[in-house]
Amino acid sequence: MYGFCLKGEQIKLFMNEFLKGETFDGFIVKHMEVFSVAKFETDGRINPDYLKEDEKRTHCFWRELRPLAFGLIKGKIKPKVFKTVLALSEDKAQILSENAASMHITVTFENDRIIFLTGTSQKNFSLNKDTDAAWEGYIKKFFKVHGFICETLE
């Protein structure tokens, strides 16, 4: 697991891109929780009636829930908690590691900072950390390419 955070001006830049931009749109939503005027929570499972006939997936993409998240967060008062768990699609995770069952990142906004924690699960038990290393490397590069200056968690 790799943990890092954003502070100060980086929070504003990230939240603007996260809630208004398309950078994270290809990720799958595994969980979203917003605690603002009330607590709103979803497991990201898509209603099968919204899928095209040839589509087979169980969860929404961030692009589908992003407008909802933005609507729940916008306003004069910051939410008490905003937490989202995003994952790579299974086929993209397989490109990074053949043994990857899931590669996800938890994004938590709380106490005026954003904390990110990466995680993986493997198809077959292994003490080898290559799957974790591949995902952590991908995330580090992803954030750097998109101009976010991350700080290691203390």
Side-chain angles (χ1 to χ4, degrees), residues 124-144:
N124 300 304
F125 176 78
S126 173
L127 294 174
N128 184 315
K129 299 292 184 189
D130 289 349
T131 300
D132 292 336
W135 178 230
E136 291 167 13
Y138 177 89
I139 286 297
K140 286 176 183 178
K141 184 177 179 183
F142 182 87
F143 274 74
K144 186 176 182 178

Side-chain angles (χ1 to χ4, degrees), residues 4-25 27 32-33 62 66 69-70 73 79 81-86 105-110 112-118 139-151:
F4 59 100
C5 65
L6 296 176
K7 295 179 183 174
E9 188 63 27
Q10 285 292 306
I11 292 174
K12 185 176 180 179
L13 295 171
F14 173 81
M15 290 303 284
N16 188 57
E17 184 59 33
F18 194 59
L19 295 169
K20 296 179 182 177
E22 298 176 357
T23 300
F24 296 87
D25 283 358
F27 286 89
M32 184 176 74
E33 176 183 332
W62 178 242
R66 180 171 38 85
F70 180 69
I73 289 172
V81 176
F82 174 60
K83 181 178 181 178
T84 308
V85 179
L86 301 175
I105 184 165
T106 302
V107 180
T108 306
F109 172 79
E110 191 172 20
D112 290 324
R113 74 177 186 168
I114 299 178
I115 297 172
F116 302 89
L117 296 173
T118 63
I139 286 297
K140 286 176 183 178
K141 184 177 179 183
F142 182 87
F143 274 74
K144 186 176 182 178
V145 163
H146 290 94
F148 301 113
I149 302 167
C150 304
E151 300 179 28

Side-chain angles (χ1 to χ4, degrees), residues 23-140:
T23 300
F24 296 87
D25 283 358
F27 286 89
I28 295 168
V29 178
K30 294 292 188 167
H31 178 83
M32 184 176 74
E33 176 183 332
V34 178
F35 191 8
S36 55
V37 66
K39 185 175 182 179
F40 300 91
E41 197 168 2
T42 182
D43 63 4
R45 292 187 192 275
I46 194 162
N47 176 351
D49 295 337
Y50 283 87
L51 295 174
K52 295 177 185 170
E53 223 174 272
D54 60 340
E55 261 188 304
K56 291 182 170 78
R57 59 186 168 105
T58 57
H59 288 77
C60 295
F61 285 104
W62 178 242
R63 68 177 163 265
E64 295 165 319
L65 295 183
R66 180 171 38 85
L68 175 64
F70 180 69
L72 292 171
I73 289 172
K74 72 179 181 179
K76 294 181 182 180
I77 301 172
K78 294 178 199 172
K80 185 173 182 174
V81 176
F82 174 60
K83 181 178 181 178
T84 308
V85 179
L86 301 175
L88 277 185
S89 63
E90 191 174 331
D91 58 328
K92 288 182 181 177
Q94 287 289 297
I95 293 169
L96 291 177
S97 172
E98 291 178 5
N99 197 30
S102 175
M103 293 181 160
H104 51 275
I105 184 165
T106 302
V107 180
T108 306
F109 172 79
E110 191 172 20
N111 299 325
D112 290 324
R113 74 177 186 168
I114 299 178
I115 297 172
F116 302 89
L117 296 173
T118 63
T120 63
S121 61
Q122 300 183 46
K123 291 180 181 178
N124 300 304
F125 176 78
S126 173
L127 294 174
N128 184 315
K129 299 292 184 189
D130 289 349
T131 300
D132 292 336
W135 178 230
E136 291 167 13
Y138 177 89
I139 286 297
K140 286 176 183 178

